[in-house]
Amino acid sequence: MESDSEMVPFPLLIESSYRACTIPYRFPSDNPRKATPTEIAWMDTYRNSIPSFKNSAASDTTVDDAPAKAEKFAQRYAELLDDIKKDPESHGGPPDCILLCRLREQVLRELGFRDAFKKVKDVENAKAISLFPDVVRLNDDIEDGEKRLENLVRGIFAGNLFDLGSAQLAEVFSRDGMPFLASCQNLVPRPWVIDDLDTFKAKWSRKSWKKAIIFVDNSGADVILGILPFAREFLKRGIQVVLAANDLPSINDVTYHELVEIISKLKDESGKIIGVDTKNLLIANSGNDLPVIDLTRVSQEVAYLASDADLVILEGNGRGIETNLYAQFKCDSIKIGTVKHPEVAQFLGGRLYDCVFKYNEV
């Protein structure tokens, strides 16, 4: 894991009002020794994801005796959740989504699981790379700029459904896979639970940013068929794009090294991605090692590259919704992702698998 000395606050973040957890699990008036109903509900959500983590870990061929160690992970993590239910201040609590994710990762790593979802990520990346030219052509064929933009945004939502951190989605994925184009057609209808897309489309047609930094989420369809066609549209307009990806593996999130490899496979011999020059495309290591992100702790590399950006995009349920939905920035920002947990849907007053497109202009 990254050491504290290497991590710095994200320079575009307005820190005074920042808290890296959108849904408050407790309030100052709550009894510190007694778990709140919200804490209990969320710990149950994390408990429900244990079987899919255990299954992935058990099939990790890089770890000796993986099935037995996967069983040990399931027991240990369940015990930690039980401890926190009994005493919210145990194990570094009171709990929030960052602590619950960090404890899960620590148990996996202590048992030797460095990248338990590697096999499924590799399969999904290869599948998405093969579909990439068709998805890009479908978008390029839309002549109306605003309609093309909406189609690209819908692609981000459809791709973002490939998320094995959600118990329901992990179950659907193991049963049916995630057909990308069908997911595009089957998004919940607009208006979405937070829907600033029309405002953004109006800005898109008459405003240009010079540099966008995008914190990306999952491997496979999410980053390759969702984010990259969207980023390519920015490049076509002469906007510099920085894609910030995790330092270490976590669930099926794409890592910095994986993203570098993906981009190299999508470029042609002249360094273009289907006719679009990539000299303005940078890949950065965010320093993060979780499926959620605390923007007071990012890598110095990302902080340096972001210092002159005028658009920040946080994508995915973990980064864009559960930790940073209300984060304020010194420049324009977009939070975009699909709602993966019933508790988030209830908090926002929307539906499960609803869409969030939150645009703030400075």
Side-chain angles (χ1 to χ4, degrees):
M1 292 192 197
E2 291 276 357
S3 70
D4 286 342
S5 62
E6 292 172 306
M7 306 295 265
V8 295
F10 186 62
L12 298 171
L13 178 70
I14 297 174
E15 283 187 75
S16 58
S17 59
Y18 183 67
R19 186 169 178 273
C21 198
T22 299
I23 300 174
Y25 286 17
R26 63 169 43 239
F27 295 97
S29 56
D30 289 319
N31 181 346
R33 311 297 293 179
K34 187 169 185 279
T36 66
T38 305
E39 286 171 342
I40 290 167
W42 274 103
M43 283 186 275
D44 288 343
T45 293
Y46 280 81
R47 184 185 293 278
N48 291 342
S49 73
I50 290 175
S52 74
F53 279 78
K54 186 177 99 169
N55 291 342
S56 289
S59 62
D60 187 344
T61 53
T62 67
V63 176
D64 291 336
D65 207 9
K69 287 177 179 170
E71 186 61 52
K72 202 171 278 187
F73 154 75
Q75 288 170 1
R76 274 197 203 167
Y77 188 53
E79 284 165 9
L80 287 176
L81 294 174
D82 288 340
D83 289 349
I84 298 169
K85 264 190 185 177
K86 287 182 199 137
D87 176 8
E89 296 193 322
S90 63
H91 303 291
D96 58 18
C97 58
I98 289 179
L99 179 69
L100 296 177
C101 286
R102 183 162 297 290
L103 290 172
R104 184 173 61 196
E105 291 297 335
Q106 280 176 347
V107 175
L108 284 167
R109 288 168 190 162
E110 281 165 10
L111 289 164
F113 296 107
R114 292 280 170 262
D115 196 356
F117 292 83
K118 177 75 174 150
K119 201 187 296 179
V120 72
K121 286 193 295 183
D122 287 347
V123 168
E124 289 305 305
N125 285 339
K127 205 186 292 181
I129 286 169
S130 71
L131 289 171
F132 182 77
D134 290 341
V135 169
V136 166
R137 272 193 282 274
L138 281 171
N139 282 306
D140 283 357
D141 285 347
I142 302 170
E143 288 179 19
D144 182 290
E146 288 188 14
K147 284 183 180 162
R148 187 166 63 253
L149 177 66
E150 177 160 348
N151 209 54
L152 288 161
V153 166
R154 287 177 175 276
I156 294 174
F157 290 134
N160 193 231
L161 287 169
F162 174 53
D163 188 340
L164 303 182
S166 155
Q168 291 101 322
L169 285 172
E171 191 181 318
V172 170
F173 181 81
S174 64
R175 194 174 63 237
D176 306 323
M178 284 280 172
F180 175 75
L181 293 171
S183 298
C184 286
Q185 301 300 320
N186 295 328
L187 293 177
V188 297
R190 295 185 67 191
W192 301 313
V193 64
I194 299 177
D195 193 337
D196 297 331
L197 181 57
D198 290 342
T199 308
F200 183 68
K201 283 199 295 192
K203 298 295 176 191
W204 177 261
S205 60
R206 63 175 191 268
K207 177 176 181 173
S208 192
W209 298 268
K210 65 178 189 295
K211 187 177 190 180
I213 181 159
I214 306 175
F215 287 87
V216 300
D217 191 12
N218 304 319
S219 299
D222 191 348
V223 71
I224 296 167
L225 305 181
I227 287 296
L228 288 178
F230 184 70
R232 179 177 169 274
E233 194 73 14
F234 276 67
L235 295 172
K236 277 162 70 176
R237 297 180 59 153
I239 300 166
Q240 194 174 19
V241 177
V242 179
L243 299 177
N246 264 21
D247 178 32
L248 298 181
S250 183
I251 322 182
N252 59 311
D253 288 19
V254 69
T255 66
Y256 163 76
H257 294 292
E258 288 164 347
L259 189 52
V260 168
E261 191 180 325
I262 287 164
I263 299 288
S264 71
K265 287 178 180 174
L266 294 175
K267 284 181 186 176
D268 63 20
E269 57 282 356
S270 60
K272 293 183 174 179
I273 293 181
I274 311 188
V276 174
D277 201 314
T278 57
K279 68 177 185 296
N280 276 333
L281 178 65
L282 298 169
I283 316 298
N285 185 331
S286 69
N288 194 41
D289 62 350
L290 297 176
V292 289
I293 191 165
D294 178 350
L295 291 176
T296 63
R297 300 183 75 255
V298 300
S299 69
Q300 293 181 30
E301 178 192 2
V302 155
Y304 173 75
L305 289 172
S307 57
D308 62 343
D310 49 4
L311 179 63
V312 174
I313 301 172
L314 288 140
E315 185 247 346
N317 182 68
R319 290 163 189 77
I321 302 175
E322 285 190 30
T323 48
N324 289 293
L325 187 63
Y326 302 131
Q328 294 179 297
F329 297 95
K330 298 166 189 172
C331 64
D332 292 1
S333 65
I334 298 170
K335 289 74 172 260
I336 180 169
T338 45
V339 173
K340 312 280 179 62
H341 295 124
E343 294 80 5
V344 179
Q346 184 181 355
F347 176 77
L348 295 176
R351 304 151 284 188
L352 190 61
Y353 312 130
D354 213 327
C355 302
V356 166
F357 189 98
K358 187 174 184 354
Y359 171 60
N360 290 101
E361 188 177 20
V362 170

